[in-house]
């Protein structure tokens, strides 16, 4: 139908910067979460050395071990919340800006056209608020699970039969994130999926909003995996190499977790009445 957007190495560099931004946050969040699992292992090792029925010093040793664990949980909570704050306040705005700059470069426009106007500020605030809330909810849930583990461990070590550390660790795995369907996922895989999703969605909104506000575009060209559907991955309406309206792009900035979807403005199509969404570029 039209000439596709010319590939520009600088747009690929922007995507690499986004990938590096996400990777750094994932690594830090994974390290922070490891505080819980490490302290859980330490506590269980301390408690299994306590012989059932020997009351001398037992209460004090249990209390001291639990105090160390609770201090570690507090450290995790503070560090994880600080990371979530930085991600929402600094990293995601960088992702948004990078998406905006990628759109300008793809349209062969000067990057100085982008500025943090009131419209862009309102957009990034609306985008980051629910993402921040989701991370905080996960962090709060991890603290609740850690506290439940500590209570279970304390009850078990005081039982006359002694503590079964393997059973308690299996029942309270603090190195996982539990989804609503009770599925358990390793922290790193959850963090990679969640933060990559947020980063890609925000970057693509940066491209969409800049195309609308700075370029006056009405249509975007979609780059995606060759088998990726528009609404979700198995959708038979394939996304790659198609033209979509800005409103549709804003509705489906990503089809699924792990999606590599990108949008490039097509201001050359503005005003055209013969285009239908989903047409080939």
């Amino acid at each position: 139908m039209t000439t596709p957007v010319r590939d520009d190495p600088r747009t690929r560099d922007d995507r690499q910067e986004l990938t590096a931004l996400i990777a750094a946050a994932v690594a830090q969040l994974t390290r922070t979460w490891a505080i819980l699992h490490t302290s859980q292992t330490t506590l269980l090792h301390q408690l299994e050395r306590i012989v059932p029925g020997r009351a001398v010093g037992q209460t004090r040793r249990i209390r001291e071990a639990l105090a160390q664990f609770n201090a570690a949980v507090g450290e995790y909570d503070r560090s994880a919340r600080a990371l979530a704050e930085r991600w929402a306040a600094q990293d995601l705005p960088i992702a948004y800006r990078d998406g905006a700059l990628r759109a300008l470069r793809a349209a062969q426009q000067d990057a100085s056209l982008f500025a943090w106007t009131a419209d862009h500020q309102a957009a990034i605030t609306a985008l980051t608020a629910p993402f921040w809330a989701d991370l905080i909810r996960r962090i709060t849930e991890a603290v609740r699970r850690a506290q439940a583990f500590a209570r279970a461990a304390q009850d078990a070590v005081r039982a006359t039969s002694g503590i079964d550390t393997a059973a308690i660790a299996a029942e309270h795995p603090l190195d996982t994130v539990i989804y609503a369907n009770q599925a358990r996922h390793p922290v790193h895989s959850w963090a990679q999926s969640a933060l990559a999703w947020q980063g890609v969605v925000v970057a693509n909104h940066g491209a969409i909003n800049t195309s609308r506000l700075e370029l006056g575009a009405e249509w975007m060209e979609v780059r995606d995996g060759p088998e990726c559907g528009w609404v979700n991955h198995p959708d038979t309406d394939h996304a790659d190499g198609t033209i979509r309206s800005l409103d549709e792009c804003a509705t489906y900035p990503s089809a699924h977790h792990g999606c590599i979807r990108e949008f490039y403005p097509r201001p050359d199509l503005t005003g055209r009445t013969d285009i239908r969404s989903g047409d080939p570029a």
Side-chain angles (χ1 to χ4, degrees):
M1 179 180 70
T2 54
T3 302
V5 173
R6 187 179 70 181
D7 191 28
D8 187 333
R10 292 174 300 176
T11 65
R12 294 197 299 270
D13 290 343
D14 286 341
R15 190 71 179 202
Q16 290 170 3
E17 183 175 349
L18 174 62
T19 300
L21 185 76
I22 293 168
V26 169
Q28 184 175 353
L29 185 55
T30 303
R31 288 194 301 269
T32 300
W33 220 285
I35 294 172
L36 291 182
H37 186 238
T38 300
S39 59
Q40 178 184 46
T41 301
T42 299
L43 176 61
L44 290 175
H45 285 165
Q46 290 173 323
L47 295 182
E48 69 184 356
R49 290 196 294 267
I50 295 177
V51 179
R54 294 187 180 180
V56 178
Q58 178 173 294
T59 299
R60 176 181 57 79
R61 291 171 62 191
I62 294 173
R63 185 170 58 248
E64 290 175 350
L66 288 170
Q68 292 174 9
F69 176 79
N70 289 331
V73 173
E75 179 188 354
Y76 156 79
D77 190 40
R78 289 188 298 273
S79 298
R81 286 176 180 273
L83 190 154
E85 292 284 353
R86 192 208 69 198
W87 174 252
Q90 299 180 30
D91 294 348
L92 287 180
I94 291 174
Y96 183 97
R97 183 199 64 197
D98 288 348
L101 297 182
R102 186 169 65 248
L104 291 173
R105 288 167 178 160
Q108 302 177 42
Q109 298 294 318
D110 195 296
S112 64
L113 284 177
F114 175 78
W116 284 107
T117 62
D119 287 330
H120 286 302
Q121 290 178 25
I124 191 61
T125 298
L127 287 165
T128 57
F131 289 157
W132 172 84
D134 182 64
L135 291 178
I136 293 298
R137 179 174 61 83
R138 294 290 186 185
I139 293 166
T140 301
E141 174 64 13
V143 170
R144 187 200 65 77
R145 290 174 57 207
Q147 292 169 339
F149 155 74
R151 289 192 296 271
Q154 178 176 262
D155 292 343
V157 77
R158 288 176 174 170
T160 56
S161 58
I163 187 170
D164 185 342
T165 56
I168 292 178
E171 187 176 353
H172 301 273
L174 299 186
D175 58 345
T176 64
V177 172
I178 301 179
Y179 287 14
N181 62 0
Q182 300 306 305
R184 296 177 177 182
H185 295 268
V187 169
H188 183 272
S189 64
W190 162 77
Q192 177 63 42
S193 177
L195 297 187
W197 164 268
Q198 293 185 9
V200 168
V201 167
V202 167
N204 282 344
H205 273 289
I208 294 164
N209 294 336
T210 298
S211 298
R212 187 194 306 274
L213 297 169
E214 276 72 38
L215 299 176
E218 298 173 351
W219 301 94
M220 304 289 281
E221 182 176 329
V222 185
R223 306 275 183 86
D224 208 337
E227 300 301 322
C228 189
W230 175 244
V231 175
N232 50 51
H233 191 73
D235 187 359
T236 56
D237 179 11
H238 290 167
D240 188 45
T242 61
I243 298 295
R244 307 280 173 167
S245 72
L246 268 68
D247 287 342
E248 287 181 294
C249 292
T251 302
Y252 298 106
S254 181
H256 56 88
H257 284 74
C259 189
I260 60 172
R261 180 168 297 172
E262 295 181 85
F263 298 121
Y264 292 88
R266 293 300 300 271
D268 56 306
L269 302 180
T270 298
R272 291 273 296 272
T273 59
D274 59 326
I275 302 174
R276 295 184 305 171
S277 187
D279 281 348

